[in-house]
Amino acid sequence: ENINKAFVVAGDSNLHLLDSLGKKEAFEHIVFNNEFFASFAALGQSKLSHKPSLLIISSGSSALKVIEAVCNAYIDSEPMIIISGQASSDYKASSKIRQLGSKTIDIIKLVKSITKYSVTIKNPNELTYHIEKAIYLSKEGRAGPVWIDVPIDLLGNTINEKRIKHFDYSLLENGNDYKESNIFISKIYKLIANSKRPVILIGYGVRLSNSQKQILELIEMLEIPVMTSRRGVDLINSKNKYFFGRPGVYGNRYSNILIQKADLLISIGSRLSIPMIGRKKLDFAKNAKKIVIDIDHNELLKTTIKKDLIIKSSCDVIINLLLKNNKKIKKFDSWLKKCVQIKNKISFKFENYCHSDKINPYIFVKDLSKKIPSKTIMFMDGGPIMNYLMQGIEIKKDQRLINASGLDNDGFALSAVMGIDSIKPYNFLIVFCEESSLVFHLEYINMLIKKNIPIKIFAFSGAKNIALKNSQKDYFDSRYVATNDYDKPHSLFHTISEKNSNIKIVKISNPNNYNKNIAQIFRNYKTEIFLIKLDPEHRLTPKLGFSIDFNGKWLPKSLEDMHPFMEKQKLKKIMDE
């Protein structure tokens, strides 16, 4: 399968596996001391390449530490292969006994719900069958992780290769999925013809189906406003005249207004999660007929929104058929003009971001993104870091922006880039993270330096718990219980410089002159860390708001009604125009 690299952590029950791995010189193995970091490094490789990454771990607590990354891969549709050693098969406890063998847990029972395929090997002659089946399933349809658990008594066996059973993938292939796709194309064009205010929403499924170029051709052909999900953010240049932002709970305010004004929504490869559609679910695109294209049948069956046309298909099939069956459609010039007017009126400047004596993160991200060159890969943490970037970043041609929005993980970015050994044909690798993430990854900073990849790490100081503190200020009389008392990494600079003589941390704290600093950053190809000192009182805005009724019940607002709230009459006028 052309998989020649593994992320490994040594343990009691996987030494046979590691010994076999070491005998095969062409097989590269990246060694970690901690399964958590190893699993996220594997996840990072998978997110960048969209090919299965391989993780080899031991049993017991070793297996438990990788569950977060595996769950992330499952939600975010990333192919991963996990092979775990296990205690001897005769130590498997019955359902009534909690544990029998040392370090044993029934890991397969635990991970059934977050893997596409998971199995404990019982017959050594079936090992090849299960490996081949697992790899196939990790890539087939909606991609995801698979898990193979191998008891130690089987790992020591000698196998007669003539008895090995193989997997026939043709038995699982379903040729009927796309038979009706051509019928759907005419329905899509008919709905477009009958609309006055159509919008297209593109998500990560477009990239997973390798349709990045085709979607841009389709957008140019249809001349319809397009928006992206959080994971589809790098599918289109921010300067594209048909691009109108990123809707969602923490999305662009003007994008939410436009999607609520639309009379037709064409969703391609977005799972329309709650962070996208808002908590007042049935109000999403409330004036629009909705076409939803998704490869996952279960996603299409969700009742969170009313759908007028559902199409179970890989995005590339529908996009290519729309291009192939090009039908003349009317122009939407007046709608596009209205979208431009709203975008210009209610865009970044409308939110009134401003620096204090410290830096406002939204303005910083906006300014920095202007300096980031094309052919750059960016990894970002979840939480407030994602909020800053979704509002402020300007995507250029040939840039990637990789995140883990499904679980919105803090600390994801630095862990994930540890799995990247080459970024060709890209030139730079950027990490956006929170300050404490540097401390968490301290022992692996040298690993990043040794990669000989120009990595620029932007660590935000003052982002920790900021979303929670905003809520506590708004709704809990500024009682910052459990959010103001974490240990700040005061000795961070001393510790890193002490352990890493090849790297220094550059502090960026003055909002009046940081543009001079960031102008120099991409003129060298060194690995560098920049600590961005944020205004500790900054607000996460805009965000979807709530109202509280007389009974104390929290009531979510519609997607267009974001906090800080616009005047009701002003918002109504925009929505009614």
Side-chain angles (χ1 to χ4, degrees), residues 384-434:
I385 309 301
M386 185 178 293
N387 298 334
Y388 307 151
L389 269 74
M390 290 300 101
Q391 292 294 335
I393 196 163
E394 296 179 3
I395 296 293
K396 300 184 181 75
K397 183 182 178 182
D398 296 326
Q399 287 185 341
R400 292 289 314 276
L401 180 56
I402 298 171
N403 62 72
S405 64
L407 291 181
D408 206 18
N409 307 66
D410 291 333
F412 157 77
L414 266 175
S415 299
V417 298
M418 290 189 292
I420 311 301
D421 291 322
S422 172
I423 59 171
K424 292 180 179 179
Y426 298 90
N427 297 321
F428 290 97
L429 180 60
I430 291 178
V431 171
F432 294 102
C433 65
E434 195 271 325

Side-chain angles (χ1 to χ4, degrees), residues 31 39 374 391 433 488 561 577:
V31 180
S39 61
S374 296
Q391 292 294 335
C433 65
K488 293 183 178 179
D561 198 5
E577 286 176 342

Side-chain angles (χ1 to χ4, degrees), residues 251-265:
N252 303 130
R253 188 190 298 264
Y254 77 91
S255 304
N256 286 347
I257 288 173
L258 293 177
I259 214 166
Q260 296 296 79
K261 283 177 69 69
D263 65 1
L264 176 65
L265 170 68

Side-chain angles (χ1 to χ4, degrees), residues 181 183-194 222 264 266 291 293 309 311 318 322 329:
S181 295
I183 299 172
F184 290 126
I185 299 306
S186 60
K187 290 183 179 180
I188 293 172
Y189 274 119
K190 185 176 180 179
L191 284 166
I192 293 173
N194 291 333
L222 296 177
L264 176 65
I266 307 171
I291 302 170
I293 301 159
L309 179 61
I311 304 173
I318 301 301
L322 285 168
I329 60 172

Side-chain angles (χ1 to χ4, degrees), residues 323-339:
L323 288 168
K324 182 180 177 182
N325 297 278
N326 180 10
K327 296 185 179 181
K328 287 187 177 181
I329 60 172
K330 62 185 178 185
K331 300 288 185 180
F332 295 96
D333 293 342
S334 60
W335 170 232
L336 279 165
K337 185 177 179 181
K338 175 59 67 177
C339 290

Side-chain angles (χ1 to χ4, degrees), residues 261 287 338 569-577:
K261 283 177 69 69
N287 297 307
K338 175 59 67 177
Q569 288 302 114
K570 185 176 181 180
L571 179 59
K572 185 177 185 305
K573 183 180 178 182
I574 293 171
M575 293 301 298
D576 292 342
E577 286 176 342

Side-chain angles (χ1 to χ4, degrees), residues 160-270:
N160 185 336
E161 293 189 30
K162 293 179 181 179
R163 296 179 181 175
I164 288 177
K165 181 181 177 182
H166 289 272
F167 169 68
D168 182 1
Y169 65 86
S170 65
L171 297 176
L172 289 183
E173 287 196 325
N174 185 352
N176 298 320
D177 279 355
Y178 310 133
K179 282 186 176 180
E180 296 182 349
S181 295
N182 273 307
I183 299 172
F184 290 126
I185 299 306
S186 60
K187 290 183 179 180
I188 293 172
Y189 274 119
K190 185 176 180 179
L191 284 166
I192 293 173
N194 291 333
S195 71
K196 294 180 180 179
R197 301 183 304 278
V199 295
I200 299 171
L201 175 67
I202 54 177
Y204 194 51
V206 173
R207 183 172 292 282
L208 291 177
S209 64
N210 199 27
S211 307
Q212 303 93 291
K213 292 181 180 178
Q214 291 85 345
I215 194 64
L216 295 177
E217 292 175 23
L218 183 65
I219 292 164
E220 291 292 328
M221 186 185 85
L222 296 177
E223 299 181 350
I224 291 175
V226 64
M227 305 174 191
T228 71
S229 69
R230 293 186 296 180
R231 301 193 66 218
V233 63
D234 56 6
L235 289 168
I236 186 168
N237 188 326
S238 295
K239 299 295 185 184
N240 188 299
K241 64 180 178 180
Y242 300 113
F243 174 65
F244 288 92
R246 307 151 194 140
V249 172
Y250 284 95
N252 303 130
R253 188 190 298 264
Y254 77 91
S255 304
N256 286 347
I257 288 173
L258 293 177
I259 214 166
Q260 296 296 79
K261 283 177 69 69
D263 65 1
L264 176 65
L265 170 68
I266 307 171
S267 173
I268 308 176
S270 170

Side-chain angles (χ1 to χ4, degrees), residues 373-384:
S374 296
K375 293 191 175 181
T376 295
I377 302 168
M378 296 169 276
F379 279 76
M380 69 175 176
D381 274 356

